[in-house]
């Protein structure tokens, strides 16, 4: 065997001479004839090759007699064997590292394995979750059915194409919803009006929508230089696909934006507020306030929050302007009792005169109602002059006999009725009126009490000598004395807010033989 430099191959020359006959076995001797082997050196000059010799030293060479072939077996040392094991172990480690590197690279650059959704040959968007997308399609189908009041057929089944995209390429939820809507037959593309992100109405063209919005502002515009008008609510107009039930003409859009909603809101109590005043301002009764505010107390303080009924338009408008000009200063009225004058009579001794001041004020109105009044500066022009009035206290005639029929002691708003209420039993009828409003005797009789009595505040009691006694409570002023005879219709006191009271009113009671009766039954209310 030798190595050919030109061919780069091993060359084997066999010089063995073997007989083709089967080996003969001697009968006498247990001897097997072995073929004679002759070794003949190759005639070709062969130079020693150290590299070849080193490589061949790693092989075990043998000769297979049955097949007549040369057999070469690779010999492995323990070091080589361990080296192969190390190399084999490195492949899965390298694959794992490569996978981690790829995943880290994808995460670092915000790549996503996503799908592009196509409905009815129309691309809808690139999504990351098929189940959530199909749920969204179903939800929008149900929502559209509710809006239109009829069953809406589902769109064609979506087709998905796998994509590897950056995060910013994923379709936003809003765009996805719009694209899904566009696949339904029951929608139209138009200009939607949103108030505080709630769809209110829509128009087919942008001009009609903008005209309607300007008309809403014009409704509350003040004819004052520098006045500003703006929406209180967040208003946006978006071009999108809209359920056909929301589409309106210009007049329809204006009507939808100016319609009022019945609801409740929080009212923040100011320094001069009373429960009665708040109730009257918003067309409620004091009992309504108590029923809507479980922990409401009779005494309220600035900064307290009260739930009230408030009708307000869908879209609220704020008007702000600066007022410069004269404002009146109200005068005071000083009363002095005169026993020489008939009870209930009044005489002006000194007429009151309003003062004047020049003011610069910032006025803020919401939907036409003034909510802020900020004085920037003011200059006194003239002081007010107090009025002086004499009030008669002398009884000029003997009290008539009680008629048994009662008249209203004061005219005003019924703020609380007789019977059970949230604070407990109410034994009278509350009639709200401004402080100082005259209170008149409901029927003729004798004053049996005139003074302060606990929760009643200033109180007048009249005995009508027929088993009936009437009460007039929370007065600001008492004009009669105990023992005095009064006739039906005589002024006996003035409306006030004394005692346990929620605002200026007259608490009127009718008692029969000491038992409270429902005053409304006697007054025809």
């Amino acid at each position: 065997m030798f190595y050919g430099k030109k061919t780069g191959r091993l060359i084997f020359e066999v010089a063995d001479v073997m007989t083709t006959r089967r080996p003969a076995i001697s009968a006498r001797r247990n001897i097997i004839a072995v073929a004679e082997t002759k070794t003949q050196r190759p005639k070709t000059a062969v130079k020693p090759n150290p590299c070849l010799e080193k490589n061949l030293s790693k092989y075990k060479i043998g000769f297979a007699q049955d097949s007549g072939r040369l057999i070469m077996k690779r010999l492995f040392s323990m070091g080589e064997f361990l080296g192969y094991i190390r190399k084999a172990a490195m492949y899965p480690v390298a694959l794992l590292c490569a996978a981690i590197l790829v995943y880290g690279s994808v995460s670092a650059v915000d790549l996503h394995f996503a799908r592009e959704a196509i409905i009815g040959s129309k691309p809808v968007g690139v999504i990351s979750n098929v189940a959530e997308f199909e749920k969204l399609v179903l939800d929008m189908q149900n929502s559209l059915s509710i809006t239109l009041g009829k069953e809406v057929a589902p769109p064609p089944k979506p087709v998905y194409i796998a994509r590897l995209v950056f995060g910013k390429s994923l379709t936003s939820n809003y765009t996805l919803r719009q694209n899904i809507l566009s696949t339904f037959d029951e929608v139209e593309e138009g200009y939607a009006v949103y108030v505080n992100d709630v769809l209110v109405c829509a128009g087919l063209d942008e001009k009609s929508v903008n005209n309607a919005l300007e008309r809403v502002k014009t409704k509350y515009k003040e004819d004052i230089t520098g006045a500003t008008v703006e929406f209180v609510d967040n208003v946006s107009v978006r071009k999108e696909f809209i359920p056909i039930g929301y589409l309106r003409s210009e007049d329809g859009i204006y009507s939808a934006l100016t319609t009022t909603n019945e609801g409740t809101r929080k009212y923040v109590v100011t320094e001069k507020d009373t429960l009665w005043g708040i109730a009257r301002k918003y067309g409620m009764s004091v009992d309504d306030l108590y029923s809507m505010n479980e922990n409401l107390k009779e005494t309220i303080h600035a900064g307290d929050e009260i739930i009230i009924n408030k009708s307000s338009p869908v879209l609220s408008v704020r008007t702000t302007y600066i007022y410069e000009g004269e404002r009146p200063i109200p005068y005071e009225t000083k009363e002095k009792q005169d026993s020489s004058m008939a009870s209930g009579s009044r005489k002006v001794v000194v007429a009151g005169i309003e003062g004047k001041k020049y003011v610069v004020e910032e006025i803020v109105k919401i939907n036409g109602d003034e909510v802020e009044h900020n004085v920037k500066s003011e200059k006194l022009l003239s002081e007010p002059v107090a009025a002086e009035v004499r009030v008669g206290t002398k009884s000029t005639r003997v009290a008539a006999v009680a008629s048994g029929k009662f008249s209203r002691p004061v005219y005003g708003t019924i703020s609380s009725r007789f019977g059970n209420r949230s604070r407990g039993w109410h034994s009278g009828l509350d009639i709200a009126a401004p402080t100082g409003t005259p209170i008149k005797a409901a029927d003729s009789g004798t004053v049996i009490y005139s003074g302060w009595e606990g929760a009643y505040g200033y109180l007048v009691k009249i005995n009508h000598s027929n088993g009936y006694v009437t009460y007039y409570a929370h007065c600001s002023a008492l004009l009669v004395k105990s023992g005095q005879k009064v006739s039906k219709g005589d002024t006996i006191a003035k409306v006030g807010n004394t005692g346990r009271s929620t605002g200026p009113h007259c608490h009127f009671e009718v008692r029969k033989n000491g038992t409270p009766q429902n005053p409304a039954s006697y007054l025809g209310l």
Side-chain angles (χ1 to χ4, degrees):
M1 179 178 65
F2 58 91
Y3 178 76
K5 286 186 176 183
K6 292 183 178 180
T7 63
R9 297 180 178 180
L10 288 174
I11 300 173
F12 297 92
E13 291 186 6
V14 180
D16 295 340
V17 178
M18 300 183 64
T19 178
T20 57
R21 292 177 301 178
R22 295 177 60 85
I25 301 176
S26 172
R28 277 187 271 181
R29 297 180 184 177
N30 204 13
I31 299 173
I32 298 175
V34 180
E36 180 182 3
T37 301
K38 293 182 180 180
T39 302
Q40 176 180 340
R41 291 185 176 275
K43 298 177 182 180
T44 308
V46 179
K47 295 183 179 181
N49 191 321
C51 181
L52 178 63
E53 292 176 357
K54 182 179 179 181
N55 288 333
L56 288 176
S57 66
K58 298 178 181 180
Y59 292 87
K60 180 180 179 180
I61 302 174
F63 184 78
Q65 294 183 3
D66 55 348
S67 63
R69 293 180 180 179
L70 192 67
I71 300 172
M72 299 179 67
K73 292 184 179 181
R74 180 74 165 85
L75 300 176
F76 294 95
S77 66
M78 183 58 70
E80 284 181 302
F81 181 72
L82 294 176
Y84 278 116
I85 292 176
R86 282 195 298 270
K87 288 180 180 179
M90 286 300 292
Y91 285 112
V93 173
L95 288 173
L96 179 62
C97 290
I100 293 173
L101 182 61
V102 170
Y103 179 79
S105 300
V106 168
S107 301
V109 296
D110 193 27
L111 281 172
H112 295 264
F113 295 101
R115 288 175 174 82
E116 182 179 8
I118 300 173
I119 298 179
S121 75
K122 179 177 181 179
V124 174
V126 180
I127 60 173
S128 58
N129 189 305
V130 171
E132 288 183 2
F133 173 77
E134 292 183 347
K135 182 178 182 300
L136 180 60
V137 173
L138 180 60
D139 289 345
M140 297 198 70
Q141 178 192 348
N142 294 335
S143 177
L144 195 57
S145 298
I146 292 171
T147 300
L148 299 176
K150 65 176 184 178
E151 189 67 29
V152 173
K157 188 175 179 61
V159 175
Y160 304 102
I161 301 175
R163 294 277 187 266
L164 180 63
V165 299
F166 291 102
K168 64 181 181 180
S169 298
L170 292 173
T171 306
S172 68
N173 187 60
Y174 172 77
T175 304
L176 201 59
R177 285 174 173 272
Q178 284 299 301
N179 290 344
I180 293 172
L181 269 179
S182 68
T183 63
F184 290 94
D185 295 332
E186 292 81 1
V187 297
E188 284 284 348
E189 188 174 26
Y191 294 85
V193 181
Y194 283 83
V195 178
N196 296 326
D197 289 329
V198 176
L199 176 60
V200 176
C201 55
L204 288 175
D205 62 283
E206 189 174 13
K207 183 179 178 181
S208 63
V209 172
N210 291 332
N211 287 345
L213 289 170
E214 283 303 314
R215 286 172 60 186
V216 174
K217 287 184 177 180
T218 304
K219 180 180 178 182
Y220 299 104
K221 188 176 181 180
E222 295 284 341
D223 191 18
I224 297 175
T225 304
T228 61
V229 183
E230 59 187 354
F231 294 122
V232 175
D233 306 285
N234 180 28
V235 181
S236 59
V237 178
R238 308 172 190 171
K239 185 178 182 181
E240 59 187 23
F241 287 94
I242 311 142
I244 55 179
Y246 283 98
L247 292 173
R248 302 277 192 281
S249 63
E250 181 180 320
D251 290 340
I253 296 171
Y254 175 79
S255 177
L257 295 174
T258 54
T259 188
T260 56
N261 287 331
E262 293 294 333
T264 61
R265 73 174 180 88
K266 286 183 179 179
Y267 176 82
V268 180
V269 176
T270 60
E271 191 67 37
K272 296 182 180 180
D273 273 336
T274 63
L275 289 180
W276 174 84
I278 295 171
R280 187 178 184 186
K281 181 178 180 180
Y282 292 101
M284 303 170 62
S285 69
V286 174
D287 283 348
D288 291 336
L289 289 178
Y290 277 108
S291 65
M292 295 177 66
N293 298 270
E294 185 178 350
N295 299 318
L296 183 63
K297 297 179 180 179
E298 292 185 353
T299 303
I300 56 176
H301 306 280
D304 290 349
E305 290 186 348
I306 298 176
I307 302 298
I308 61 169
N309 282 329
K310 176 63 176 174
S311 298
S312 58
V314 171
L315 183 56
S316 293
V317 180
R318 180 192 292 110
T319 307
T320 307
Y321 60 91
I322 300 296
Y323 170 80
E324 296 186 38
E326 291 185 0
R327 292 282 194 194
I329 304 173
Y331 60 81
E332 222 181 317
T333 300
K334 297 179 181 179
E335 294 184 351
K336 187 175 181 180
Q337 293 184 351
D338 189 336
S339 59
S340 65
M341 295 173 58
S343 176
S345 61
R346 296 168 64 86
K347 182 180 180 181
V348 177
V349 179
V350 177
I353 301 175
E354 289 184 336
K356 290 183 180 181
K357 58 183 177 181
Y358 187 86
V359 299
V360 177
E361 301 169 329
E362 181 188 54
I363 309 297
V364 180
K365 293 182 177 181
I366 302 294
N367 300 327
D369 296 329
E370 188 174 313
V371 295
E372 289 184 36
H373 186 93
N374 304 316
V375 177
K376 301 294 185 181
S377 64
E378 62 180 17
K379 181 181 179 181
L380 181 64
L381 300 178
S382 63
E383 292 278 3
V385 177
E388 292 183 15
V389 179
R390 291 186 181 275
V391 180
T393 59
K394 181 181 178 181
S395 179
T396 58
R397 58 190 172 92
V398 178
V401 177
S403 65
K405 295 182 179 179
F406 297 110
S407 61
R408 291 183 67 161
V410 64
Y411 283 88
T413 303
I414 306 300
S415 58
S416 185
R417 292 185 175 272
F418 177 88
N420 275 318
R421 59 183 186 180
S422 56
R423 292 173 289 164
W425 181 262
H426 188 227
S427 59
L429 181 72
D430 289 348
I431 306 173
T435 300
T437 301
I439 299 174
K440 300 180 183 296
D443 201 357
S444 300
T446 303
V447 177
I448 59 174
Y449 184 84
S450 180
W452 181 274
E453 189 172 312
Y456 284 110
Y458 287 113
L459 170 68
V460 174
K461 297 180 185 179
I462 299 177
N463 186 349
H464 302 285
S465 302
N466 55 3
Y468 287 97
V469 175
T470 51
Y471 286 39
Y472 312 80
H474 306 306
C475 304
S476 62
L478 303 176
L479 305 181
V480 293
K481 296 179 181 179
S482 182
Q484 184 177 334
K485 304 292 184 179
V486 294
S487 296
K488 186 175 184 177
D490 284 349
T491 300
I492 59 174
K494 291 186 176 182
V495 171
N497 189 29
T498 58
R500 194 168 66 179
S501 171
T502 57
H505 71 283
C506 173
H507 172 85
F508 178 58
E509 287 188 23
V510 175
R511 297 197 176 207
K512 183 178 182 180
N513 299 322
T515 303
Q517 307 294 309
N518 185 354
S521 301
Y522 294 88
L523 301 178
L525 298 175

